[in-house]
Amino acid sequence: MAEALLEIAGLVKRFGGLLATDNLHLAVRAGEIHAVIGPNGAGKTTLVAQLQGELKPDAGTIRFAGADVTRLKPHQRAVRGIARSFQITSIFPDMSALDNVALAVQAHAGHSFGMWRSAATEAALRTPALAALEQVGLAERGHSVAAHLAHGEQRQLELAMALATRPQLLLLDEPMAGMGKEDAERMVRLIGGLKGSHTVLLVEHDMDAVFALADQITVLVYGRVLATGTPAAIRANAEVRRAYLGDEVAP
Amino acid sequence: MTATSRRIVLRALVLWGGLALLLVLPPAAALADQPFYLTLVTRMLIFAIAALSLDLILGYGAMVSFGHAAYLGVGAYAVGILAYHGVNAAWIQWPVAIVASALVAALIGLVSLRTSGVYFIMITLAFAQMLYFLGISLKIYGGDDGLTINARTDFGGVIDLASNVVLYYLVLAVLLGFLLLGQRLIASRFGMVIRGAKSNERRMRALGFPTVRYRLVAFVIAGTMCGVAGVLLANLTNFTSPAYMHWTRSGELMVMVILGGMGSLIGPIFGAFALLALEEVLSSYTQHWQFILGPVLILIVLFAKRGIYGLLGAARESAAAGPPAAGPPHG
Ligand SMILES: Nc1ncnc2c1ncn2[C@@H]1O[C@H](COP(=O)(O)OP(=O)(O)OP(=O)(O)O)[C@@H](O)[C@H]1O
Ligand SMILES: [Mg+2]
């Protein structure tokens, strides 16, 4: 078996007395969609934040693409190919949708100390930005101010920004949160379309989406891995059903 | 004609008309035998340069530097101290002033940009006050009383600054040059990073931008531009003094930016003119003009939220409207 793209070993994160991440081990292979599920407060967002670099773990290591990235800052990890979409939408509300994505492209197109040429006319930024907007179905909305987009569109925009950085690993924290049925279905199709070409760590509460998309599922409870396996194995796991799934996905 | 296009025409009229007036002011002042106005407007232009430089970081980068007058002082003292030692040559004075302000800005920026919010305001203020007291303690250079400069910067006969008219046009040229530079910078890749970091710094980091590095460079550029304003101020007044760096000066620069219209580069020019004109008019009526100025400023800011330039319908028409993105319900 090839080495995993992402390997987490012995990860620990404490908030005061609370163990938000409890000796966590996890491996994500390149090209797979790996879902992380668990009840509210299980530590899913805390895990994502440590993978992206915003939170520093108290112990443990994170290896990404064969290198130890545990001590790297968020921007350094981003440059290495880790992209995150936040549980609470995080965009540039005062800029146009296209500018939002163009900035994402710019982050991975060399340094940004150019001070004379107008960024708005740089094809090297605008063309890939438009392509990413198209990919998520927002091509028509490029010139709208991001704050004026509907909630579902803003979630799509955030995904477009993540994709525009051409990431090796996408950390998606509840991309369907707060979405209507139609938007959520579109998002599922979108993420499904990334399979094979992108590696995705997907945090999601919508079990239909998770079981439709995931190659692997990890169940997190109180910061600990309760079980990891294929969707079929997780569905059959008695402990998981007792702790989390309940009757929701009765076979 | 629609309201928007009327505003665009009005704006163009004001801007180009204003520029034309500025260009013909020296001969007009000479004809009317009112040299005082030449000095006053030169002073306004110099403060416009300083305010514009502050707007670059305050308006576009949300870096609330409450010590921006420090660079006015650094530029002015570079000229004053060199002149005191008999060095008047422009090719020495200007580079020394520029390098000195850049270095001071880099130092202050390195420390202050580690913080944000109120801490940033306080640290930039503290640094500027330190420089103010340093100026007072420099007894050989006049200390508290300031330092008189005997001769203006010497451009070797190309530009004769001894003439107030020549100085005026030099100041105007610097302002227009910086305005052009600033506008290019804001629209460039670099400008996008500065604006992005203002809009959502967390997102910028997650995208891969080392935001502090870019902010520091912007901070140094703004400080250096203000240092040049200091050089010009010393030349205008033939004088430099710690008062140039006092925190009230920094406050005035901030008022100019906000009054004129933050985040527009042109607005602060209006702000500088308006504030200095108000001071001039009010101080001719009463000694206690500051008590009148305060409320007047509050009224203007209340009724023209985007400043004087905002009244002309300028500055980020598209982006200004609408609430910020609302987050979805948590969990
Ligand atoms: N910065 C923080 N300081 C203190 N406690 C925190 C902090 N962030 C998270 N926690 C706590 O850590 C635990 C895990 O939180 P986390 O946000 O990772 O859960 P989650 O699995 O993402 O939940 P949800 O499904 O509601 O998004 C919770 O008990 C939370 O209250
Ligand atoms: Mg969460």
Side-chain angles (χ1 to χ4, degrees):
Chain A
M1 191 184 84
E3 197 193 359
L5 179 66
L6 177 72
E7 260 182 304
I8 307 164
L11 204 67
V12 176
K13 181 69 196 175
R14 282 189 198 86
F15 294 118
L18 179 85
L19 252 179
T21 307
D22 184 0
N23 190 27
L24 188 135
H25 294 260
L26 187 72
V28 178
R29 281 189 300 273
E32 77 177 13
I33 296 183
H34 194 126
V36 174
I37 63 174
N40 291 123
K44 304 182 294 293
T45 298
T46 304
L47 171 64
V48 167
Q50 290 172 91
L51 297 180
Q52 180 241 344
E54 214 168 67
L55 278 181
K56 286 201 184 85
D58 295 313
T61 57
I62 301 164
R63 291 181 65 79
F64 174 69
D68 187 344
V69 298
T70 318
R71 305 274 149 232
L72 292 189
K73 298 213 168 82
H75 70 84
Q76 295 167 319
R77 295 190 205 194
V79 168
R80 286 179 182 233
I82 299 182
R84 173 183 182 186
S85 83
F86 290 84
Q87 183 168 354
I88 296 173
T89 311
S90 178
I91 54 178
F92 305 109
D94 53 336
M95 295 186 188
S96 75
L98 186 57
D99 279 343
N100 269 265
V101 188
L103 251 178
V105 176
Q106 192 183 316
H108 297 256
H111 70 80
S112 286
F113 287 104
M115 297 183 188
W116 190 254
R117 220 168 125 203
S118 164
T121 57
E122 258 195 81
L125 302 178
R126 306 310 260 192
T127 311
L130 249 174
L133 278 181
E134 226 154 68
Q135 195 179 354
V136 303
L138 276 184
E140 310 294 301
R141 305 290 269 143
H143 292 287
S144 305
V145 175
H148 296 175
L149 296 178
H151 171 69
E153 291 176 320
Q154 292 184 351
R155 303 296 291 177
Q156 285 165 275
L157 175 61
E158 200 175 352
L159 183 61
M161 290 166 80
L163 288 172
T165 65
R166 304 184 154 278
Q168 289 197 62
L169 173 66
L170 268 167
L171 306 170
L172 304 180
D173 197 350
E174 300 195 27
M176 279 81 124
M179 270 192 181
K181 193 169 168 346
E182 224 167 278
D183 283 342
E185 276 168 5
R186 177 206 284 274
M187 191 59 95
V188 169
R189 278 199 303 276
L190 211 65
I191 296 170
L194 301 176
K195 206 178 269 206
S197 62
H198 290 75
T199 311
V200 181
L201 189 133
L202 171 70
V203 173
E204 190 49 61
H205 277 298
D206 180 341
M207 285 308 123
D208 293 337
V210 165
F211 281 95
L213 287 170
D215 299 303
Q216 291 281 313
I217 298 177
T218 290
V219 184
L220 222 58
V221 177
Y222 295 122
R224 268 182 295 113
V225 174
L226 189 68
T228 289
T230 61
I234 293 298
R235 213 191 286 263
N237 186 311
E239 210 180 342
V240 171
R241 294 176 57 164
R242 199 165 45 247
Y244 181 52
L245 293 179
D247 300 325
E248 205 180 319
V249 284
Chain B
M1 212 167 22
T2 68
T4 336
S5 64
R6 246 201 316 276
R7 284 194 151 187
I8 290 171
V9 171
L10 173 72
R11 189 169 92 204
L13 273 178
V14 170
L15 292 183
W16 290 108
L19 180 61
L21 282 180
L22 287 174
L23 284 171
V24 302
L25 178 93
L31 269 179
D33 202 18
Q34 295 280 359
F36 161 76
Y37 284 104
L38 186 63
T39 311
L40 175 66
V41 177
T42 309
R43 191 180 168 75
M44 287 170 164
L45 290 171
I46 290 171
F47 277 93
I49 295 171
L52 181 150
S53 74
L54 176 59
D55 189 32
L56 220 44
I57 51 173
L58 176 64
Y60 292 96
M63 290 172 252
V64 188
S65 167
F66 204 157
H68 207 63
Y71 314 107
L72 267 184
V74 172
Y77 268 96
V79 172
I81 291 174
L82 284 172
Y84 178 83
H85 294 288
V87 181
N88 288 311
W91 67 272
I92 300 180
Q93 280 192 354
W94 281 64
V96 167
I98 285 171
V99 170
S101 357
L103 281 179
V104 170
L107 204 91
I108 296 178
L110 266 176
V111 177
S112 59
L113 285 170
R114 287 162 189 275
T115 66
S116 60
V118 181
Y119 299 100
F120 182 82
I121 299 175
M122 297 313 283
I123 289 179
T124 49
L125 173 65
F127 268 112
Q129 283 300 95
M130 265 164 58
L131 284 169
Y132 168 75
F133 286 113
L134 179 69
I136 287 181
S137 70
L138 290 176
K139 293 288 181 250
I140 44 163
Y141 302 119
D144 214 354
D145 297 330
L147 179 63
T148 302
I149 301 168
N150 290 322
R152 285 180 175 166
T153 304
D154 178 8
F155 279 88
V158 193
I159 311 169
D160 182 13
L161 282 196
S163 150
N164 283 334
V165 173
V166 174
L167 177 65
Y168 173 89
Y169 283 116
L170 175 67
V171 170
L172 183 58
V174 170
L175 174 63
L176 294 176
F178 280 5
L179 181 61
L180 174 68
L181 267 175
Q183 282 178 333
R184 298 299 304 218
L185 188 141
I186 286 312
S188 71
R189 281 189 177 206
F190 181 79
M192 288 306 291
V193 174
I194 296 304
R195 287 149 71 187
K198 176 194 176 191
S199 173
N200 187 345
E201 181 156 25
R202 188 179 186 207
R203 178 32 90 194
M204 287 298 280
R205 291 211 196 95
L207 284 180
F209 290 106
T211 47
V212 176
R213 211 172 297 166
Y214 289 99
R215 281 210 159 119
L216 179 62
V217 172
F219 195 84
V220 169
I221 290 174
T224 309
M225 284 181 161
C226 193
V228 171
V231 169
L232 297 169
L233 186 61
N235 271 284
L236 173 68
T237 56
N238 293 314
F239 183 66
T240 179
S241 132
Y244 290 177
M245 298 183 271
H246 196 251
W247 70 268
T248 51
R249 253 297 128 69
S250 295
E252 269 176 20
L253 290 180
M254 220 129 85
V255 169
M256 289 170 184
V257 173
I258 295 163
L259 180 67
M262 215 164 45
S264 65
L265 292 184
I266 292 183
I269 303 175
F270 284 93
F273 272 73
L275 185 69
L276 293 182
L278 266 175
E279 280 184 10
E280 200 61 46
V281 172
L282 292 178
S283 62
S284 69
Y285 285 112
T286 162
Q287 269 195 311
H288 307 291
W289 54 273
Q290 277 160 327
F291 288 103
I292 306 173
L293 183 65
V296 170
L297 288 179
I298 290 171
L299 282 178
I300 294 178
V301 172
L302 276 181
F303 287 101
K305 288 211 175 66
R306 282 153 66 214
I308 298 168
Y309 192 51
L311 292 177
L312 296 175
R316 293 179 294 173
E317 275 129 342
S318 56
H330 190 96

